[in-house]
Amino acid sequence: TIFKQMLLDEFKDYASENNLLIKNGKNYCPLIIFSPNIKEPIKCVDECYQMDIFPTIINVIGCGDYYWKGLGINLTDSSRVRIISEQQAYELSDKLIRTNYFDSLYSYNPFRYGLDYVETLTNHSITCNNIGYNEKAKTYAIQAISIIENNGQMNKEIIRLLCKCYLSLGLATLQNPNEALQHLNTVENFSLSQYELYPDDFSDIVSATEELIAICYNSQDDNINALEHTQIGLKMARDKAQKIPSDDNMLILGINLSNVALMSMYTEKLKESESNFIEAISILESLYDSHQNHNYIFVSELARAKANYGLLKIKNGLLEEAEGLINEATAYFSNGKIQDIGVDQVNLIIYISTFRGLLALKRGDYEKAKETLKDIMENNPDFIQQNPNADFFIAMKNCGLMEE
């Protein structure tokens, strides 16, 4: 470490030529971890802090599942996401070095810095879910829940934050519906009781929770329960959209209408399904048309609604109308209007393409149906594990691609 400013200034030119961190005149000390058990070198050129040493070392020695993850990040993780700002990192790193930090941390209110830290954990959990880092999302949510529940303080803001944590935890565990339902039922109990007192503050939480609960029941082929929960979510979404018809609230209303329409179709309430699909598509098309940048959420939800409406048309034998809707849904992803297509959008494109197989099967063209569905299976091996709709499995069996 270079302590004297004069020496830092002397090395500036050399540092600039070699692109070293000290080129900006700041003082840096390299962190080197050596062990004969480290078989391949790992290099990290990011700026790191004292608090990053602990989480890095516990992962290097194979203890990454230790309950206390520290305040920093694991520098060997290429997908690392820092949950606090650079300035906060400097301040915390300094406290770790100069004070008895951990004694002060647990000796009194863990909210002494305010709710900002817990809210940051929660938001990062949600962000990680959105980009497919479900395990990281789960870790952040559990940390935030632990801080809130150990604190013992409860008011409207803290309960809302706790609901968001459990909601993110439910989303992170959707691949295990039973586990997800445990977390989501906790959110439902909290949010419904608070909704009675503060409807404007908790209607979005209730709506999102009911949507995820419905997904869990649908994955277990319990479409009656799934429909019941989507209807609760729709009521909340409609009430809020009527009070405040903002784009966000109208989007949530459109999504909930589409969900109710789909569950109504699966429970053979076809007229109700059609009317909800028509209303959902009308709302989502309006949002899509009014946004020049065509936000990927608007695009995805509109494409999903039209594709599922196409599935309803297939069930009703209106095959030309079904093909038109499926083509429209696919076109949203091929017209260059949407950028940076993510994992969710790729899965949606695959999901929509399965309807072409269903359509071919309904028309009696078994060869085309088999070719379409087989191509999906071979090029997307993970898709079957993501539990696509029951019609897909029926079509696969009818084409001889799956055993009974």
Side-chain angles (χ1 to χ4, degrees), residues 38 54 74 77 102 105 178 197 202 217 235 293 327 337 345 348 369-370 377-378 399 401:
I38 300 175
F54 174 76
N74 169 21
D77 182 359
F102 292 102
L105 181 66
N178 289 328
L197 300 171
F202 283 86
Y217 280 124
K235 180 184 181 303
N293 62 351
N327 287 340
K337 296 287 188 181
Q345 286 71 49
L348 178 56
K370 185 174 182 177
M377 285 187 67
E378 290 178 348
C399 290
L401 295 172

Side-chain angles (χ1 to χ4, degrees), residues 28-306:
Y28 291 90
C29 176
L31 170 65
I32 301 172
I33 300 175
F34 173 79
S35 168
N37 293 326
I38 300 175
K39 303 302 180 185
E40 295 184 10
I42 301 171
K43 184 178 180 181
C44 172
V45 296
D46 296 346
E47 186 174 10
C48 61
Y49 307 95
Q50 179 85 9
M51 63 183 177
D52 297 328
I53 297 176
F54 174 76
T56 301
I57 288 178
I58 63 169
N59 278 275
V60 168
I61 64 176
C63 297
D65 58 350
Y66 187 61
Y67 75 96
W68 169 245
K69 305 294 184 185
L71 298 170
I73 58 173
N74 169 21
L75 298 170
T76 66
D77 182 359
S78 60
S79 63
R80 54 188 173 270
V81 179
R82 192 175 291 284
I83 63 173
I84 55 178
S85 69
E86 182 176 319
Q87 184 58 41
Q88 287 174 309
Y90 272 122
E91 291 172 1
L92 281 173
S93 185
D94 192 60
K95 284 185 174 72
L96 288 173
I97 298 169
R98 302 178 188 279
T99 70
N100 198 358
Y101 180 80
F102 292 102
D103 280 353
S104 64
L105 181 66
Y106 293 107
S107 62
Y108 58 108
N109 183 4
F111 288 159
R112 68 190 189 284
Y113 294 125
L115 286 174
D116 291 351
Y117 178 65
V118 182
E119 193 161 0
T120 301
L121 281 170
T122 307
N123 290 337
H124 275 282
S125 176
I126 294 168
T127 300
C128 286
N129 270 321
N130 290 340
I131 59 178
Y133 294 154
N134 299 117
E135 283 304 312
K136 279 186 173 296
K138 190 174 177 180
T139 299
Y140 288 138
I142 290 172
Q143 273 189 289
I145 289 168
S146 176
I147 293 172
I148 293 173
E149 292 185 342
N150 288 332
N151 178 58
Q153 295 182 26
M154 285 293 168
N155 56 37
K156 181 182 71 174
E157 288 72 24
I158 295 174
I159 292 174
R160 179 176 166 80
L161 198 53
L162 185 62
C163 285
K164 287 175 68 177
C165 293
Y166 272 110
L167 190 59
S168 187
L169 194 53
L171 183 58
T173 55
L174 270 185
Q175 292 298 320
N176 185 343
N178 289 328
E179 181 183 355
L181 277 171
Q182 289 180 2
H183 303 311
L184 295 170
N185 286 335
T186 300
V187 188
E188 188 180 44
N189 291 335
F190 273 117
S191 59
L192 283 175
S193 63
Q194 292 297 305
Y195 177 79
E196 298 298 322
L197 300 171
Y198 314 105
D200 291 342
D201 295 303
F202 283 86
S203 62
D204 58 334
I205 297 284
V206 173
S207 182
T209 303
E210 299 302 334
E211 179 186 353
L212 292 181
I213 290 175
I215 290 172
C216 291
Y217 280 124
N218 179 236
S219 69
Q220 297 173 330
D221 295 325
D222 186 350
N223 292 319
I224 293 175
N225 256 322
L227 175 59
E228 179 184 333
H229 285 278
T230 56
Q231 288 172 330
I232 296 172
L234 175 58
K235 180 184 181 303
M236 304 292 176
R238 194 182 292 281
D239 287 348
K240 188 158 188 178
Q242 286 174 346
K243 288 181 182 177
I244 309 171
S246 65
D247 283 354
D248 285 344
N249 290 342
M250 294 305 293
L251 174 63
I252 292 170
L253 175 58
I255 292 171
N256 277 272
L257 279 163
S258 183
N259 291 336
V260 169
L262 186 63
M263 291 304 107
S264 297
M265 179 180 68
Y266 284 141
T267 51
E268 301 302 323
K269 297 180 179 180
L270 303 186
K271 287 185 178 179
E272 181 182 327
S273 174
E274 179 149 26
S275 65
N276 282 318
F277 270 131
I278 291 171
E279 186 180 358
I281 289 170
S282 174
I283 291 170
L284 294 169
E285 278 185 332
S286 177
L287 289 170
Y288 176 81
D289 291 339
S290 66
H291 284 75
Q292 294 293 328
N293 62 351
H294 290 154
N295 183 299
Y296 77 91
I297 298 177
F298 299 155
V299 176
S300 297
E301 295 305 331
L302 179 55
R304 191 191 312 276
K306 285 197 173 183

